[in-house]
Amino acid sequence: MKKFVLLIGLFGLSGIVYGQRTEVKVELKDLNNRGSEPVEPSPQYPGGIGAYLSKHQRYPEQARQNQVKGMVLVNFQIDSRGYIQDSTIRVIKGIGYGCDEEALRLIRNMSRWKPGKVSGKSVSVNYNIPVLFPPKP
C-alpha cells in the first residue's frame, strides 16, 4: 500500500512540475542583433591607445621588484555613445604582481571613445586591449 501511495504521489508531482509554463522575455541589444555585418569603422580612442598608455601607464612596484614581464589582456564593452561600460571590464589573461590591477585602472580611466558603426548606426562593441609590462618608455 505504501508503494502504491508513493507511486501515485510521484506521478502527481511530475504533473505539477511539467504542467507549469514559464515565459521568458529576452531583449537583444545592438551588439547581439547586428548579425554578421562588420563594424565599420571600429571604435577609436581620441589621440590613440598607444599614446594614452605611454602617458598614463605605471609599472607596479611589486612587478618591478620581481622583474615581471608580460601582457595583460583586458576585455570591455564600448557602448553606442562611446562610453566604456564599467561592469564589462575584465581581465582575460593576467600576469599578477599588480599588473592586472594597473591594466584595469588604465581602462577605467579612459575618456569617451568614438563608437563603432554598422550601416551608419552607432553600436555597442566588445573590445580587447593588450597592456604590456614593463611599459615602453
Side-chain angles (χ1 to χ4, degrees):
M1 184 68 175
K2 287 182 183 179
K3 290 181 183 178
F4 180 70
V5 171
L6 181 62
L7 189 61
I8 289 183
L10 286 175
F11 282 121
L13 283 176
S14 66
I16 291 170
V17 171
Y18 290 111
Q20 293 181 358
R21 289 186 180 182
T22 304
E23 290 187 30
V24 178
K25 292 184 179 181
V26 178
E27 290 185 33
L28 299 175
K29 293 183 176 180
D30 287 338
L31 179 65
N32 299 324
N33 203 16
R34 68 173 178 251
S36 61
E37 292 184 56
V39 177
E40 291 287 332
S42 296
Q44 296 182 6
Y45 191 72
I49 297 168
Y52 171 80
L53 293 177
S54 294
K55 184 175 181 180
H56 297 284
Q57 186 177 358
R58 301 181 202 138
Y59 193 31
E61 188 59 36
Q62 188 180 10
R64 184 186 323 272
Q65 289 173 355
N66 291 289
Q67 299 177 348
V68 173
K69 295 179 182 180
M71 176 191 73
V72 176
L73 185 60
V74 182
N75 174 270
F76 55 94
Q77 186 179 85
I78 303 164
D79 71 16
S80 60
R81 297 173 299 142
Y83 293 103
I84 294 175
Q85 298 300 305
D86 195 53
S87 63
T88 66
I89 302 171
R90 63 191 178 106
V91 171
I92 303 259
K93 179 182 177 254
I95 57 175
Y97 297 92
C99 296
D100 300 353
E101 292 81 4
E102 173 61 9
L104 292 172
R105 182 192 70 80
L106 285 165
I107 303 306
R108 283 193 179 102
N109 290 332
M110 287 181 138
S111 59
R112 189 174 177 186
W113 287 58
K114 185 176 179 185
K117 296 187 178 201
V118 171
S119 301
K121 181 182 175 193
S122 295
V123 294
S124 297
V125 176
N126 278 327
Y127 208 86
N128 293 327
I129 289 185
V131 181
L132 301 176
F133 290 92
K136 304 242 181 203

